[in-house]
Each structure stands twice: as structure tokens, then as C-alpha cells.
């Protein structure tokens, strides 16, 4: 269902960024590229705009949003950084990392955007278009992934258009993203916890912290600490079958690496996340390939095993959610 807005798509560039800034200032909804996935942004301090954003996405309002800012100085106006949070920010910002920290006094982010929590999720994205928009706007921009709630995250402007045409004012097209899975989320409210595996590998985060991160999400997926980590998320309509060692008649194949599976014939639709077995390439391809395979009319999508180290942790997490029965 459309909400009846005229959605404009503009190319990234000076003019596109200026239009995005103006739209944010006017309380509008702007989809823009970050290096992980496209985000749907609005002025974090404007509660009415935040309410419209939840409505446009069809997102439950108890699921809080990430506040995006241009640099650490801006982040410290929103949240309180302890030693671990500051070490992580220094090492990985700008980049595919989100930290959850206690709200600063006079935190400008609307309560609706943090779902009334005392903490706030903050990210400094590296994508040049996101940086230009955030610097031009000046304030914090809350931005969930720019998809309808429960759908696969968008890694290209066309994916945003399919999900949100008529529901947002502006889509800034900056081409396909480079990372392809959402940011890793680290809770820094005490001992650091990995709330969501993502585009920054756990190993890199642990190397900077000098200790292991706990992973509460994997131990109990029905009770997520990041409230948005609901079990059935990132879901294509077609049934997804994991750890496939053969392809059944009528299934499409999401392959990884060079191995050939039994059951594949000339009629099988095959997309390979990475022929070379490269996890970075696989992450960048993941959501786009799931979207593409979802419209092939296959009876199911068989997925080959993907290694679990590095970016493989986030890839396996998203695949597991894509394969969950729908609630
Ligand atoms: O890469 C990304 O992180 C993308 C780009 C656009 O920045 N954003 C993104 O946002 O993935 P979203 O809304 O799809 O996911 C944000 C996650 C949700 O799981 C939410 O529950 C969690 O962050 N979150 C936000 N604030 C939180 C808080 N205070 N405590 C715990 N989890 C929080
Ligand atoms: Mg999302």
C-alpha cells in the first residue's frame, strides 16, 4: 500500500546531497547510501518525522533506531562514551560499526527514536554520500535500513524504490553499496556485547578491545538484546533451505565457492555469492542475490554452507533469519 507521496529519485552529487539536506530540515524522509546498506533517514530530533518514518517502514515503534552522525565529536553530544566505546570509535569510525551507549544529558534524539530506552545506538558511516549529507545537515539523522519492515535490506537504490515508492520523499542514488550487510552493533553499557554481527568482523573488534565479546543473540534468538533482532527478519517470500548438499527439483541455488552440487541441471537458476570463496564479495552480493532469486518462481532457495569466520558470522546470521518460518 502506498502512502501517496511523490517519491523523487536523485543522483548522488552536490545537488542530490543539497536536496537531501533540505528535505531532512523540512521533516522529510530521505533514503541514502551508507557503505553497509541504504538507510531511510530523518531528523533525529523531530518526533513527528520519526513517527512518519516508523509508519513508512511499517516498523514496530518499540524497535529503536540508529542515530547517524558525521564524526565522534557529534556522537559525544548524543551519547556517553566509556573507554571501550571510545577505543572502538577511534579504531573503526567512520565505518560499519554501531555502538550502543548511555544517552548523554540533553540528548537531542527524540524518545520515540530510542523507544524510550536510556541508551542510544550511534554510527558514523564512511560512505562519502552519507558523510556529505550528515555534514550538511549538522544534526543527528536516525536511519533504519531503507526497506519495509521484515524485508531484505536494500543494497541498491532500485531495492529502496521497490519497497518504499510513494512512502518517502526522496531517494539518493549512490550506486550499489560496498559492504552489503548491516553494521556490527556493540553494546557498551558495561562489558562489551556483540548485539548484532555485521559488516565489521568480530575478530577485528575483539583485537581492539583485547578480549572476547559475548554474543547474546546467538545463545537465545527468541530474546534479542537488540530489540530488532527478531527471529524472522530479512525474509524473502520463497522458502530458504540452509546447508544444502544437493538441489531438489524446482529449487534455485544460492552457491558459495567452486563445488558443484548434485541435482543442478540446465534449468536450475544458480547465483554464486563468491566463486572464489571470498567472504567480503559474498557479503556484498548476499541481499541483492536473495532479492533476485525471490522473483524466479522457484519452489525454494537452497543455500550452500558458508564458513562462519570473519564476515561469515553476519552472513550466516542473516541466512538463518531468512530461513526462519514466518510469524
Ligand atoms: O548498517 C546499518 O546499521 C544500517 C545503516 C542504514 O546504518 N542500519 C540498520 O538499522 O541496520 P536497523 O534499524 O535496520 O537496525 C538497527 C538495530 C535494530 O536491531 C535495533 O533494535 C538496534 O539496532 N538498536 C537500536 N537502538 C538500540 C539500543 N538502544 N539498544 C539495543 N539495540 C538497539
Ligand atoms: Mg533493518
Amino acid at each position: 500500500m502506498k502512502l501517496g507521496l511523490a517519491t523523487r529519485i536523485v543522483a548522488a552529487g552536490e545537488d542530490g546531497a543539497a536536496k537531501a539536506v533540505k528535505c531532512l530540515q523540512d521533516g522529510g524522509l530521505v533514503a541514502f547510501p551508507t557503505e553497509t546498506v541504504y538507510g531511510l533517514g530523518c531528523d533525529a530530533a523531530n518526533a513527528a518525522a520519526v513517527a512518519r518514518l516508523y509508519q513508512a517502514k511499517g516498523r514496530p515503534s518499540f524497535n529503536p533506531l540508529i542515530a547517524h552522525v558525521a564524526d565522534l565529536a557529534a556522537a559525544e553530544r548524543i551519547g556517553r562514551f566509556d573507554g571501550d566505546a571510545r577505543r572502538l570509535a577511534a579504531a573503526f569510525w567512520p565505518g560499519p560499526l554501531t555502538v550502543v551507549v548511555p544517552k548523554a544529558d540533553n540528548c537531542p534524539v527524540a524518545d520515540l527514536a530510542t523507544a524510550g530506552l536510556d541508551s542510544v545506538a550511534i554510527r558514523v558511516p564512511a560512505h562519502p554520500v552519507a558523510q556529505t549529507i550528515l555534514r550538511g545537515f549538522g544534526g543527528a539523522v536516525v536511519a533504519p535500513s531503507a526497506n519495509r519492515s521484515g524485508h531484505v535490506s536494500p543494497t541498491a537504490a532500485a531495492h529502496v524504490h521497490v519497497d518504499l515508492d510513494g512512502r518517502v520523499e526522496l531517494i539518493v542514488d549512490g550506486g550499489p553499496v560496498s559492504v552489503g550487510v548491516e553494521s556490527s552493533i556493540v553494546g557498551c553499557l558495561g562489558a562489551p556485547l556483540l548485539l548484532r554481527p555485521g559488516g565489521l568482523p568480530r575478530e577485528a573488534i575483539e583485537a581492539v578491545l583485547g578480549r572476547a565479546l559475548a554474543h547474546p543473540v546467538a545463545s537465545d534468538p527468541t530474546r534479542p538484546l537488540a530489540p530488532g533482532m527478531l527471529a524472522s527478519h530479512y525474509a524473502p517470500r520463497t522458502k530458504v533451505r540452509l546447508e544444502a548438499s544437493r538441489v531438489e527439483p524446482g529449487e534455485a541455488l544460492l552457491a558459495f565457492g567452486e563445488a558443484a552440487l548434485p541435482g543442478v541441471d540446465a534449468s536450475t537458476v544458480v547465483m554464486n555469492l563468491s566463486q572464489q570463496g571470498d567472504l567480503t564479495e559474498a557479503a556484498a552480493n548476499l541481499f541483492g542475490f536473495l532479492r533476485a532469486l525471490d522473483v524466479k518462481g522457484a519452489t525454494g532457495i537452497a543455500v550452500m554452507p558458508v564458513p562462519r569466520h570473519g564476515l561469515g558470522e553476519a552472513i550466516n546470521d542473516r541466512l538463518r533469519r531468512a530461513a526462519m518460518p514466518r510469524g
Side-chain angles (χ1 to χ4, degrees):
M1 188 195 66
K2 290 191 173 190
L3 291 186
L5 293 176
T7 300
R8 286 182 302 159
I9 305 183
V10 294
E14 257 174 54
D15 191 42
K19 286 195 168 76
V21 169
K22 171 81 170 62
C23 188
L24 291 168
Q25 287 165 344
D26 292 344
L29 307 182
V30 179
F32 62 93
T34 83
E35 70 277 23
T36 56
V37 299
Y38 274 70
L40 177 61
C42 77
D43 178 356
N46 181 336
V50 175
R52 285 184 62 228
L53 192 156
Y54 279 107
Q55 194 191 9
K57 262 198 72 120
R59 179 178 177 120
S61 56
F62 54 78
N63 188 3
L65 306 173
I66 297 172
H68 296 69
V69 288
D71 52 33
L72 178 58
E76 292 198 274
R77 288 194 280 276
I78 298 175
R80 291 207 306 274
F81 284 65
D82 65 6
D84 285 329
R86 193 162 287 119
R87 260 189 293 286
L88 292 175
F92 299 119
W93 277 354
L97 170 75
T98 295
V99 295
V100 174
V101 298
K103 276 182 178 167
D105 295 336
N106 305 317
C107 173
V109 178
D111 281 340
L112 182 57
T114 56
L117 298 171
D118 299 329
S119 59
V120 58
I122 310 178
R123 175 168 177 227
V124 176
H127 196 291
V129 175
Q131 275 285 331
T132 305
I133 293 172
L134 290 170
R135 288 195 186 284
F137 180 63
V141 171
V142 283
S145 50
N147 52 281
R148 295 288 289 275
S149 191
H151 288 195
V152 176
S153 290
T155 53
H159 303 159
V160 180
H161 190 250
V162 168
D163 267 26
L164 296 176
D165 184 32
R167 307 180 73 89
V168 305
E169 275 82 15
L170 191 65
I171 299 172
V172 181
D173 186 351
V177 304
S178 58
V179 176
V181 290
E182 302 86 347
S183 60
S184 301
I185 305 182
V186 178
C188 295
L189 303 169
L193 298 174
L194 186 59
L195 298 176
R196 177 176 74 182
L200 184 65
R202 164 200 291 276
E203 294 87 335
I205 300 168
E206 291 178 340
V208 164
L209 292 173
R211 60 182 149 147
L213 283 164
H215 189 172
V217 173
S219 60
D220 185 354
T222 61
R223 298 191 55 212
L225 278 191
M229 297 298 282
L230 305 173
S232 170
H233 216 75
Y234 308 96
R237 282 180 297 270
T238 314
K239 198 167 176 310
V240 173
R241 184 169 67 82
L242 303 181
E243 308 292 330
S245 54
R246 60 168 297 117
V247 175
E248 304 299 337
E251 278 185 331
L253 175 63
L254 186 61
F256 179 86
E258 292 192 61
L261 286 200
V264 175
D265 61 31
S267 70
T268 311
V269 177
V270 180
M271 296 187 86
N272 198 325
L273 289 171
S274 172
Q275 194 95 35
Q276 288 77 37
D278 174 13
L279 290 167
T280 303
E281 183 183 11
N285 285 331
L286 178 65
F287 290 143
F289 283 11
L290 281 174
R291 279 180 183 261
L293 291 176
D294 200 19
V295 295
K296 297 290 186 196
T299 56
I301 301 171
V303 184
M304 282 169 70
V306 176
R308 294 178 183 279
H309 63 270
L311 286 177
E313 185 175 7
I315 295 171
N316 278 286
D317 172 83
R318 305 307 188 268
L319 285 170
R320 192 168 49 79
R321 288 168 206 286
M324 291 270 177
R326 307 296 129 73

